[in-house]
Amino acid sequence: MTLRITTDKDTGVAVVTLDRPDRLNAIDLPTASQLTAVWSDFRHDDSVRAIVLTGAGERAFSTGLDRDAEVPQPDSPYMLDDPLAAVGPKAAGLWKPVIAAVNGMACGGAFYLLGEADFVIADETATFFDPHTTYGMVSAYESVYLAQRTPFGEVARLALMGTAERVSAQRAYEVGLVSEVTPPGGSVEAAVRCATVIASYPPTAVEGTVRALWSAQEATRSAALSQAPHLIALGNLPTADQAKLFGARGGGFRTR
């Protein structure tokens, strides 16, 4: 298993940990399937009333899709297979609250998860960036998820600057992506503390509130996401050309 799940039956809080620290918690295809399954399982588990999502180790929350994952694609631009489309809790129809606890890097496909968390807590080591454009890929799903909770100009800068910039935890807090910044190593504890409070409330009221919050932006989000496969099909470089850019990667970055 590439996910580690612990559940406290007394508090009703589950902690889901992406457990591939040697790969910076990148999501391979088995991990993607496990995430989809665990969100579905939580829908039927009344003992779990709030969830914390985090990554193992100190270096990264997640760096998105594992570059070694092989995802065969149909020839048609109308049938793009996105291996991360169902990794988030909302995609599985889970309306129990999910709090993301971020340490280290969160980039690329990690925004599928952060975008479907109800709020994000980060420690001071957290940085956020999106490498897609640097390597000849369209940032479509990631940008849509970010645009739902962060000012347009901030999303545009993060997406277009690629690997040249990383957004610090403090800046992410200032623009609303992060709701709290903790000392190093403190994000999970803070997230569990919040989850424990929320899990102590009547669950139907909590779940109804989560559903209401997401209804407020659901129409625009769904419409934007529907365009993503076509934009990716049109704008991505061929895989071999992407690989050349990855192979030549290097250089520094600034953190703001």
Side-chain angles (χ1 to χ4, degrees):
M1 290 287 286
T2 54
L3 289 184
R4 181 161 29 96
I5 302 164
T6 60
T7 303
D8 187 328
K9 299 295 184 181
D10 293 329
T11 64
V13 174
V15 178
V16 176
T17 304
L18 298 167
D19 196 12
R20 304 185 75 219
D22 57 319
R23 298 289 293 178
L24 298 177
N25 298 316
I27 302 169
D28 60 2
L29 299 187
T31 306
S33 296
Q34 289 167 32
L35 281 164
T36 301
V38 77
W39 304 132
S40 180
D41 290 345
F42 283 150
R43 294 175 69 239
H44 301 278
D45 187 347
D46 292 339
S47 69
V48 173
R49 300 184 295 279
I51 300 114
V52 172
L53 173 65
T54 193
E58 299 178 354
R59 297 177 63 197
F61 168 79
S62 175
T63 53
L65 182 65
D66 193 314
R67 284 293 298 176
D68 289 339
E70 295 186 7
V71 186
Q73 295 291 340
D75 291 333
S76 170
Y78 301 103
M79 296 185 291
L80 179 72
D81 285 335
D82 182 354
L84 301 184
V87 298
K90 305 306 183 287
L94 178 69
W95 301 108
K96 297 178 182 182
V98 176
I99 305 167
V102 178
N103 60 292
M105 293 182 289
C107 65
F111 295 123
Y112 284 70
L113 295 171
L114 298 184
E116 292 200 5
D118 296 295
F119 58 93
V120 179
I121 295 175
D123 75 24
E124 293 171 357
T125 70
T127 58
F128 304 85
F129 65 102
D130 189 350
H132 279 73
T133 55
T134 299
Y135 300 127
M137 295 179 287
V138 175
S139 175
Y141 290 97
E142 295 80 3
S143 292
V144 169
Y145 282 119
L146 284 169
Q148 298 298 303
R149 61 202 320 161
T150 306
F152 179 89
E154 292 293 329
V155 180
R157 179 166 176 163
L158 183 151
L160 294 172
M161 289 295 289
T163 60
E165 279 192 350
R166 296 186 184 183
V167 175
S168 67
Q170 180 59 35
R171 182 59 181 165
Y173 172 76
E174 291 168 356
V175 301
L177 176 59
V178 167
S179 66
E180 179 182 353
V181 178
T182 73
S187 61
V188 172
E189 180 182 354
V192 169
R193 185 165 58 246
C194 290
T196 300
V197 171
I198 296 168
S200 72
Y201 299 152
T204 53
V206 169
E207 292 162 19
T209 300
V210 171
R211 191 68 184 92
L213 286 165
W214 285 84
S215 294
Q217 57 185 9
E218 194 162 26
T220 56
R221 178 168 164 266
S222 297
L225 289 174
S226 71
Q227 300 298 314
H230 313 305
L231 297 173
I232 291 169
L234 287 168
N236 274 20
L237 289 179
T239 302
D241 292 339
Q242 293 178 30
K244 291 177 184 177
L245 292 174
F246 268 92
R249 63 183 173 182
F253 60 86
R254 71 183 292 265
T255 300
R256 64 179 182 94

